Amino acid sequence: MTALVSTRAELQPFLDGFANGRRGVVMTMGALHEGHLELLKQARHDCDLVVATIFVNPLQFGPNEDFDRYPRTLDDDLKLCAEAGVDVAFAPSVDEVYPGGRPIVQVTPGPMGEVLEGAFRPGFFTGVLTVVAKLLNLTRPDAAFFGQKDAQQLALVRRMALDLNLPVEIVGVPTVRDADGLAKSSRNRYLGPEERTVALSLSRALFAGRDAAGQGAEAVRTAAGAVLDAAAAADGLTVDYLALVDPEDFSEAAPAFTGDAVLAVAARVGGTRLIDNLPLTVPAAPHNPGVR
Ligand code: AMP
């Protein structure tokens, strides 16, 4: 049984009950799917108390984004939480999280938050980091679990924990995909059947890029770009960005780059904006013309 609470006061006894145990939190916006489930299972495996937060954070949505139509499925979410062995679902109101209204003091991400997602969604990462800091303070976990699916968010949360000396371990969890490669996302439910097929080009592009990693960074970008270009021409996919970046700071990988990288993509299918990424390694090998 998962307990449902909506205020800090109601959550408190659960936190007090595990004062000496390991407390874990998984932060979500609800509309839970198997990607979230993986985070919850990992938390259940690692922790004595598992708290799932369910909160659609208004601060991270732009004026023309999907805050109003974002799926809200609390009853189903609670079933999934129970299945995953979550102890407490914390589903606060906007007033509970923002008692002073729109916060005057916010957490800004710096340069790493201004590229890729940050460039296309101004203010997005300020909204994300601010709510993550708030939810960490409200739930006081030893460990917080975030998906690699949102790789730039995961990197920024890690950086925030380091830069602000937050007493929490940030745990990254690999992306969960459908059998055909599409990354699980709450926004997939916006897609009609034909749009879902078009959306597959994101993961196909990433896998093509990873397959070319032996030939260097440029080859990765070219291989992935070719898949996206074809989908853009034939199926009306609109690409926001395709980038091969250093996973630490999300700076663009130079042509001679070798080592661990993240290949990230964002694209729109009809009215739905999707993101995906794949970690890969560009080897320092003779086949890699980027390496002298
Ligand atoms: P969201 O509800 O979309 O804000 O996501 C909540 C958490 O679940 C974030 O840490 C996401 O990165 C993670 N997540 C979302 N989709 C997936 C997925 N397909 N695989 C793994 N983690 C995911």
Side-chain angles (χ1 to χ4, degrees):
M1 254 297 278
T2 300
L4 172 65
V5 302
S6 60
T7 65
R8 177 179 227 169
E10 288 169 345
L11 180 61
Q12 196 61 44
F14 293 94
L15 305 182
D16 292 344
F18 287 85
N20 298 320
R22 182 168 166 83
R23 298 187 304 259
V25 68
V26 175
M27 298 179 188
T28 81
M29 298 205 300
L32 300 185
H33 50 68
E34 283 146 61
H36 298 113
L37 187 63
E38 198 58 31
L39 271 62
L40 296 169
K41 282 186 184 161
Q42 180 81 48
R44 182 70 283 167
H45 179 264
D46 292 359
C47 299
D48 301 308
L49 176 78
V50 177
V51 177
T53 70
I54 299 174
F55 181 63
V56 185
N57 173 35
L59 199 64
Q60 72 190 62
F61 286 80
N64 298 318
E65 294 186 351
D66 56 346
F67 176 72
D68 288 332
R69 74 174 183 128
Y70 197 85
R72 288 159 172 89
T73 60
L74 187 59
D75 289 345
D76 288 345
D77 293 349
L78 290 175
K79 284 183 201 145
L80 199 128
C81 283
E83 195 185 310
V86 170
D87 297 300
V88 194
F90 178 48
S93 66
V94 172
D95 287 345
E96 185 74 17
V97 178
Y98 294 101
R102 193 182 170 83
I104 296 168
V105 177
Q106 304 189 17
V107 183
T108 55
M112 205 204 305
E114 280 157 24
V115 297
L116 306 191
E117 280 306 281
F120 281 86
R121 304 182 69 184
F124 171 65
F125 284 121
T126 299
V128 168
L129 293 185
T130 300
V131 84
V132 169
K134 281 170 161 286
L135 292 172
L136 287 173
N137 287 333
L138 287 164
T139 60
R140 295 190 283 109
D142 299 290
F145 298 77
F146 291 87
Q148 173 72 33
K149 161 75 167 47
D150 299 281
Q152 195 175 2
Q153 167 178 289
L154 172 60
L156 279 164
V157 170
R158 282 194 200 285
R159 192 69 216 192
M160 173 173 74
L162 179 71
D163 287 346
L164 301 185
N165 303 84
L166 301 182
V168 64
E169 181 190 344
I170 305 300
V171 182
V173 178
T175 302
V176 178
R177 301 177 178 280
D178 284 333
D180 57 10
L182 184 70
K184 302 260 185 196
S185 164
S186 303
R187 290 187 169 97
N188 289 353
R189 61 182 81 198
Y190 297 151
L191 299 169
E194 284 175 21
E195 290 176 330
R196 195 190 171 288
T197 307
V198 178
L200 277 175
S201 19
L202 275 79
S203 53
R204 284 194 9 250
L206 297 177
F207 292 126
R210 189 178 61 183
D211 288 347
Q215 280 81 53
E218 279 310 305
V220 170
R221 279 188 274 256
T222 303
V227 175
L228 294 176
D229 287 347
D235 303 319
L237 183 87
T238 309
V239 179
D240 279 352
Y241 61 78
L242 169 72
L244 184 68
V245 296
D246 184 322
E248 293 288 309
D249 62 4
F250 273 69
S251 61
E252 191 75 33
F257 180 95
T258 60
D260 292 338
V262 167
L263 183 61
V265 62
R268 282 167 284 136
V269 185
T272 304
R273 187 171 182 281
L274 299 170
I275 63 170
D276 197 358
N277 72 87
L278 210 56
L280 56 82
T281 305
V282 181
H287 298 302
N288 178 352
V291 180
R292 306 266 177 258

